[in-house]
Amino acid sequence: MFDRMTLQVLANHARAAAENMAHTLHRTAHSAFVKETQDFTVMLMDRRGDTFAVPMELGATWYPGLTYGRAIDMVDDYRPGDVAFTNDPYSGHVATHAPDTHLWKPVFAGDDIVAWTGGHIHNTDMGGAVPASLSRSLTEIHQEGIRFPPMKLVREGVFDEQILRIMETNVRKPALNIGDIKALVGALNTGERKVHAMIERFGKQGFLTGVDALKEQAEAQARDILRAIPDGDYVFADYADEDSDNANPCRLKLTLRIRGDEAVLDFTGSDPQLASSLNVPSGGDPRHTILLVGVYYVLYTLNPRILLNTGLTRPFTCIAPEGTVLNPVAPAAVGMRSLVCARLRSVIFGAFSQALPEKMPAAPAGNNCIVNVMTRDERTRKLVIAAVNPVVGGGGGMPHRDGTNGSGADAAYLKNTPIEITETEVPVEFIKYGLARDTGGAGRWRGGLATEMAFKVFSPDTRITARNRDRSFFRPWGILGGRAAGLSDMIVNPGRDDERRLGNIDTAVLQPGDILEIRSAGGGGRGNPMEREPWRVARDVARGYVSEHAARTDYGVVLREGQVDEEETRRCRAAAAMPKGHFHFGPERDGYEAQWTTAAYDRLTAILADLPIHWRFFAKTEIFRRMSGRKGVQGVDLAFAETCERFPDLPRPAFLSEVAE
């Protein structure tokens, strides 16, 4: 049995090992998206493939609860020096879209596997219909690039050259992919050496016992947090702007049930799986890490000393019905799952905000737009495909401070690439890159500002993909009197005669001299903005964060030549209306829900759940089309009855006879 001190020593060793793995990968990766943006993970896993250590300084923060067990079991006869891999979202449910290539390596002590090292890199491109492989408009997994089910990539230390040749043939920039994969193999080797060092220090059995104890401690810490939250059912819903190109909103709904030291996250009532690539492939796993990312953020916010491993997931059970956007069946496209994952996190934050209003922040921007460019470099005459920069919005207002500007909480791990590096590697010219004024939600604690970026291209038919474009209609919400944040936007040639707004479109073709401008959303505000100290508002104006007009209209602060007019400010604030309700969603959502009430949308999802999976998205689209001039449950019933009349092969749930009467 490990005492507390010895267990902490093991935890420190394990985390240091994971940090070493991350540094190995970071320093040897080839693509800017891995070495600069840091979209990668590394981890140490126990004999069953459950994660027990992850780095904190480098890489993505989604996967402390990831288990490789199902993928590991799909490969036979592991030997020392082997490395297996997969990028198929429907094989083992480790990878969640095709660009994420996951590798894992067994660590032997004698003849026994005592641990695994693993991780993923986000490949710049895996082939498929569009550069970078990802677009909302894709409708089936086969369009999203080449997929490899779990198989051995390295056999006893030797790469399988046939697999590498297949990849080279099918992707647009094979040198980047293979270079990053080999860098990840180097990181796994580093992790293997560190595990052997831990075994040498603690002994084989001591190491195995200690790893189990680390997971038990994380579980106990998570249960302690849950016991401090009042028991109850906390219901929240949020929307992605579109369920496919230029189409209808996509709702995610959560009922968070907390009872003692356990919690159920029931996503019943969320939309059916979509005929676009926004689906989240959880495989129905009740503790799939991709469903629990928002929970990790909440737990870590409430206890920054909590251990990050799969033990955190044990007190939680997720319910995601099959055939829904959070548990699609093949061959549904899943490439843009990160857009819905952002909304999934905001849904979890919204539910916990009701359970712990004094401790939770307002909504972060939730639209971590990642921009890729495919163009020809006129200087070298070579084709270039590269990630330019993530455009990440602000964090929500916190209980004790403003939201972080331009780096929104749940997407803060995505690092920006210095402009000088981008302009060296990619033939574009940056026109603008910074923070957007008046985009953070007003509040006692202001929401973080949005990021805005603009660049010019020089080669014909330059193709842009800007994945995760969202929040151009439904705003990040404010809480406890705080206001919702500014919306995102994407514009070609702003201010010119040929200006055109693209909304949430995530692909564009630009011609020489065209300028693309992208702005993220901001973070929601927290607390009544009329309670924000006037000197803070004046400082925001001086810094360019808030305009003088917004200072007066949103905060009731009147400035004269940069100084607070205290008398006018008192009058202005005295005349302001007191905010109402826990959430502020903004006029767009308020107007939308006047037609699509909670009861109406619940009726819609109940109807769709009774249909065969292949009918659901079609039926949803048809019902939306027939809701013009209607609202509420009665409107949904009538719209569905008309849909059934128009399409007689559509199965009819039993309640339809009641509607007819």
Side-chain angles (χ1 to χ4, degrees), residues 45-51 65-76 78 84-86 88-96 104 116 149-151 280-291 322 326-328:
M45 297 172 283
D46 67 10
R47 289 177 293 180
R48 294 172 292 278
D50 294 341
T51 298
L66 183 60
T67 175
Y68 277 67
R70 285 186 287 182
I72 287 171
D73 290 344
M74 296 175 74
V75 179
D76 296 327
Y78 289 98
F85 86 123
T86 185
D88 181 18
Y90 290 110
S91 297
H93 294 283
V94 172
T96 52
W104 58 96
W116 301 82
M151 63 180 66
V280 179
S282 68
D285 183 343
R287 294 180 181 86
H288 197 291
T289 194
I290 205 165
L291 298 178
E322 186 179 63
L326 299 180
N327 183 14

Side-chain angles (χ1 to χ4, degrees), residues 106-325:
V107 180
F108 283 83
D111 294 331
D112 298 327
I113 294 176
V114 293
W116 301 82
T117 61
H120 95 279
I121 46 99
H122 181 103
N123 290 119
T124 302
D125 178 86
M126 287 302 290
V130 299
S133 309
L134 304 174
S135 172
R136 183 196 318 255
S137 62
L138 304 182
T139 58
E140 59 177 356
I141 190 78
H142 308 291
Q143 299 167 326
E144 296 180 338
I146 188 170
R147 291 178 291 144
F148 296 90
M151 63 180 66
K152 289 185 182 181
L153 175 65
V154 180
R155 296 176 182 271
E156 299 182 72
V158 179
F159 275 89
D160 188 322
E161 294 296 332
Q162 189 170 16
I163 292 175
L164 297 182
R165 286 181 60 197
I166 293 171
M167 183 177 290
E168 288 176 346
T169 305
N170 284 276
V171 306
R172 293 177 174 88
K173 299 298 289 185
L176 294 182
N177 287 32
I178 293 173
D180 286 347
I181 286 172
K182 289 185 175 180
L184 180 52
V185 170
L188 303 191
N189 293 340
T190 296
E192 180 183 31
R193 290 194 299 272
K194 298 298 181 180
V195 169
H196 283 145
M198 284 187 276
I199 291 173
E200 184 175 348
R201 172 160 185 166
F202 297 99
K204 177 180 173 182
Q205 191 55 50
F207 170 78
L208 295 173
T209 301
V211 166
D212 287 341
L214 289 176
K215 293 181 294 178
E216 290 167 3
Q217 182 174 338
E219 177 185 357
Q221 290 172 321
R223 292 189 185 278
D224 286 344
I225 292 172
L226 286 173
R227 276 192 291 269
I229 300 174
D231 284 357
D233 291 0
Y234 304 98
V235 181
F236 191 71
D238 208 345
Y239 302 87
D241 290 346
E242 298 169 346
D243 59 13
S244 54
D245 283 343
N246 300 309
N248 305 302
C250 170
R251 185 179 80 157
L252 298 185
K253 182 180 180 182
L254 168 63
T255 301
L256 172 65
R257 301 187 183 97
I258 296 179
R259 302 289 187 273
D261 63 356
E262 295 189 344
V264 173
L265 287 80
D266 187 350
F267 295 104
T268 301
S270 298
D271 265 15
Q273 74 179 56
L274 309 175
S276 68
S277 66
L278 300 179
N279 301 292
V280 179
S282 68
D285 183 343
R287 294 180 181 86
H288 197 291
T289 194
I290 205 165
L291 298 178
L292 291 172
V293 176
V295 170
Y296 305 148
Y297 284 106
V298 171
L299 295 177
Y300 197 77
T301 296
L302 298 174
N303 178 8
R305 299 180 64 85
I306 198 167
L307 292 178
L308 297 176
N309 61 50
T310 49
L312 295 179
T313 69
R314 293 174 179 171
F316 298 90
T317 301
C318 298
I319 299 172
E322 186 179 63
T324 61
V325 65

